[in-house]
Amino acid sequence: MNLYDISSVEVGEHFYWTIGDFQVHGQVLINSWIVIGILIAMAVLTTRDLKAVPEGGQNFIEYVLEFIRDLTKTQIGEAEYRNWVPFVGTMFLFIFVSNWSGALIPWRIIELPNGELGAPTNDINTTAGLALLTSLAYFYGGLNKRGLGYFSKYIQPTPILLPINILEDFTKPLSLSFRLFGNILADELVVGVLISLVPLVIPIPLMFLGLFTSGIQALIFATLSAAYIGEAMEGH
Amino acid sequence: MAAQTVASSVLRVACKAPTVAKSTKVVALSSRNAGFAPMQASLKMTPAVQRLVNLVIEAKSEAEIPAAAKPLIATAVANVLMASPAMAGELFDFNLTLPIIMGQYLVLMVILDKLIFAPVGEVLDNRDSELRSKLVAVKDNSSELDALAEEAAAILKAARADAQEAIQSAKSKTEKECAEKLSTANNKMQKELATALSNLEKQKQESLGNLDAQVEALASEIVKKVLPA
């Protein structure tokens, strides 16, 4: 396998597995397992020996957790944010590690019969799944906090906005999933195409841009999730 | 072999089979594939797929495989065909991956909550409350600090007064000593002066007495010489 093969581009091709009567994208599942493995390994390694005065890996995990807590606190508010830290935090970590795994790990070395390994987030199933979970989460948050009064927000500030408010429930997961999917896929495609044109040196700035975009996208996804949850929970 | 013929032969096998449900599914799959006719032209079959498809087609002609197994095999072949490159190519291909990812995410959330968010959060909170309580304790010490500062000021004042006193006493003592020494020296000098003056007076008297005697002697001598006896 030469460099050219490693860098070639495949779009929309999937490594199908069949489970019962259904099909799944094997490459997405394999990669998501790897990402989950990385996350759990990181969690285990850094929290093995927790002390009041942090040392080594504990510094890192505390930095990560404080970052996530700040993010959640600014969106959901001091009073309620604690219960949502695991959801938003896992969202951020999973997407971030997914995106970076797609950019940093040379998946092409592992050959699949069809399709290619890449970031799990470059598949619409993953991003839509996460976006739907966000929708469920903010519905749950709103109903849990305000009961059926939650639905009064649909006719506020005026009942004329009812259709738009209902539409918003559909556009939120749609925009979330497509933003992430589009950014990550586009990033991998741009790098792939550029590599196929100029294999050396030239794509490097774009790769760095890709890393930057990946981080930003994870942050945006997590921030918007938290914002939607916060919005659903606060009364108008 | 063209993909079209493969698909249609699979379809035929399936339609012959007794199970209607299975065959309709294959029909559904095949009709779905029909949308990708341009891609099917470039179908490259792996040897395994080739063999499977051949097997099904031979089974149709020679009836070697029991009728009941045919729909199963047909489904399997159709699935394999679906998995081959020609049938893929959908960017927005929603399938079972989505709920699986959702489930995995929820499991991951629970695991990370147990591993990171709960324990590390607890460590952070504990440290926070500890620092807060220490800070409050330090702020409460202000009255004690004031007392200490007062005490220090008092000690300083006392020390300053002591020092002042010591300086004063030393100064007065020295002055007294000086005055004493000065007065004794003065007295001594006065006494010496007085004795010296009295000595001088005495000597003067003595010399004056001597002078009188000499004057008398000289006068008598002059009288003797002037007045001859």
Side-chain angles (χ1 to χ4, degrees):
Chain A
M1 185 191 296
N2 59 31
L3 194 67
Y4 202 79
D5 282 334
I6 294 176
S7 65
S8 72
V9 183
E10 288 178 25
V11 183
E13 296 196 1
H14 302 294
F15 175 43
Y16 283 100
W17 288 345
T18 306
I19 299 175
D21 288 343
F22 301 102
Q23 292 189 316
V24 294
H25 294 165
Q27 89 276 17
V28 177
L29 290 185
I30 292 172
N31 276 7
S32 69
W33 296 337
I34 292 170
V35 168
I36 289 171
I38 291 173
L39 281 174
I40 292 176
M42 182 202 76
V44 169
L45 283 178
T46 51
T47 59
R48 252 186 320 193
D49 183 23
L50 291 176
K51 293 182 198 127
V53 179
E55 272 175 19
Q58 197 188 338
N59 283 311
F60 172 72
I61 202 73
E62 282 187 8
Y63 171 74
V64 170
L65 184 59
E66 284 197 12
F67 173 77
I68 291 166
R69 277 188 163 186
D70 273 355
L71 191 158
T72 319
K73 200 193 290 178
T74 46
Q75 298 302 331
I76 300 183
E78 182 75 46
E80 302 279 348
Y81 82 96
R82 270 165 191 279
N83 291 334
W84 292 101
V85 166
F87 181 80
V88 177
T90 312
M91 198 62 95
F92 175 76
L93 290 176
F94 181 71
I95 296 173
F96 185 77
V97 176
S98 291
N99 293 351
W100 272 36
S101 78
L104 292 179
I105 304 175
W107 295 111
R108 266 305 179 119
I109 290 171
I110 306 161
E111 218 168 342
L112 291 184
N114 189 41
E116 59 179 348
L117 291 171
T121 37
N122 77 5
D123 190 277
I124 190 75
N125 285 291
T126 312
T127 60
L130 297 178
L132 284 177
L133 277 173
T134 299
S135 291
L136 292 178
Y138 80 69
F139 267 106
Y140 168 78
L143 288 172
N144 197 33
K145 176 91 187 298
R146 300 166 59 201
L148 288 176
Y150 169 70
F151 291 108
S152 69
K153 76 156 190 172
Y154 285 102
I155 52 166
Q156 278 166 348
T158 134
I160 301 167
L161 289 178
L162 177 67
I164 290 175
N165 283 333
I166 291 174
L167 202 62
E168 220 177 27
D169 279 334
F170 293 96
T171 56
K172 275 174 183 172
L174 200 70
S175 64
L176 269 184
S177 58
F178 275 59
R179 180 184 307 114
L180 182 58
F181 169 65
N183 270 292
I184 301 308
L185 188 70
D187 171 48
E188 293 194 353
L189 283 185
V190 166
V191 172
V193 167
L194 213 62
I195 285 178
S196 69
L197 294 174
V198 192
L200 291 173
V201 182
I202 305 291
I204 290 176
L206 265 167
M207 289 174 171
F208 278 111
L209 184 69
L211 284 182
F212 178 69
T213 320
S214 299
I216 292 291
Q217 286 308 318
L219 183 64
I220 287 175
F221 200 109
T223 309
L224 282 178
S225 297
Y228 293 157
I229 293 165
E231 188 188 359
M233 293 209 302
E234 77 174 10
H236 280 282
Chain B
M1 165 174 309
Q4 214 74 45
T5 49
V6 176
S8 58
S9 57
V10 168
L11 205 60
R12 253 177 284 142
V13 176
C15 287
K16 273 187 181 174
T19 323
V20 182
K22 288 279 183 187
S23 50
T24 47
K25 196 168 71 58
V26 176
V27 171
L29 291 175
S30 304
S31 63
R32 193 167 160 223
N33 298 340
F36 299 94
M39 300 197 79
Q40 281 174 349
S42 64
L43 174 66
K44 276 177 261 154
M45 287 234 255
T46 59
V49 174
Q50 187 86 53
R51 224 177 301 129
L52 260 174
V53 169
N54 283 344
L55 192 69
V56 173
I57 292 162
E58 277 161 25
K60 183 197 74 174
S61 53
E62 294 164 27
E64 280 172 349
I65 297 172
K70 276 183 185 172
L72 291 177
I73 294 165
T75 313
V77 172
N79 275 333
V80 170
L81 281 177
M82 280 292 288
S84 69
M87 307 309 161
E90 284 174 280
L91 210 51
F92 300 104
D93 183 13
F94 289 101
N95 55 23
L96 195 64
T97 318
L98 194 151
I100 291 177
I101 288 281
M102 283 170 83
Q104 283 182 357
Y105 176 82
L106 292 177
V107 171
L108 179 69
M109 186 172 82
V110 171
I111 293 173
L112 286 189
D113 185 37
K114 289 268 178 299
L115 283 177
I116 300 179
F117 298 113
V120 179
E122 203 185 316
V123 169
L124 285 181
D125 290 343
N126 285 346
R127 184 182 308 146
D128 207 41
S129 60
E130 195 181 320
L131 287 180
R132 219 175 282 268
S133 66
K134 272 185 184 166
L135 211 62
V136 167
V138 166
K139 266 185 193 151
D140 272 2
N141 277 347
S142 60
S143 62
E144 206 175 305
L145 271 180
D146 281 350
L148 277 176
E150 237 163 70
E151 201 178 317
I155 289 171
L156 210 62
K157 214 170 155 189
R160 205 166 276 161
D162 277 356
Q164 206 70 33
E165 212 170 286
I167 288 169
Q168 213 66 44
S169 69
K171 213 187 241 172
S172 63
K173 201 172 151 197
T174 322
E175 263 171 15
K176 220 158 99 191
E177 265 173 26
C178 278
E180 235 165 61
K181 273 185 187 162
L182 204 65
S183 66
T184 47
N186 224 357
N187 284 351
K188 207 171 148 194
M189 225 153 70
Q190 289 289 345
K191 229 186 263 173
E192 273 173 17
L193 194 66
T195 45
L197 278 178
S198 68
N199 278 351
L200 219 59
E201 192 67 27
K202 219 197 280 179
Q203 276 172 9
K204 191 178 143 192
Q205 291 302 329
E206 253 171 45
S207 13
L208 275 181
N210 281 355
L211 201 64
D212 277 348
Q214 273 176 1
V215 167
E216 257 173 58
L218 208 58
S220 65
E221 213 165 304
I222 290 168
V223 169
K224 244 187 246 179
K225 275 182 182 176
V226 172
L227 299 174

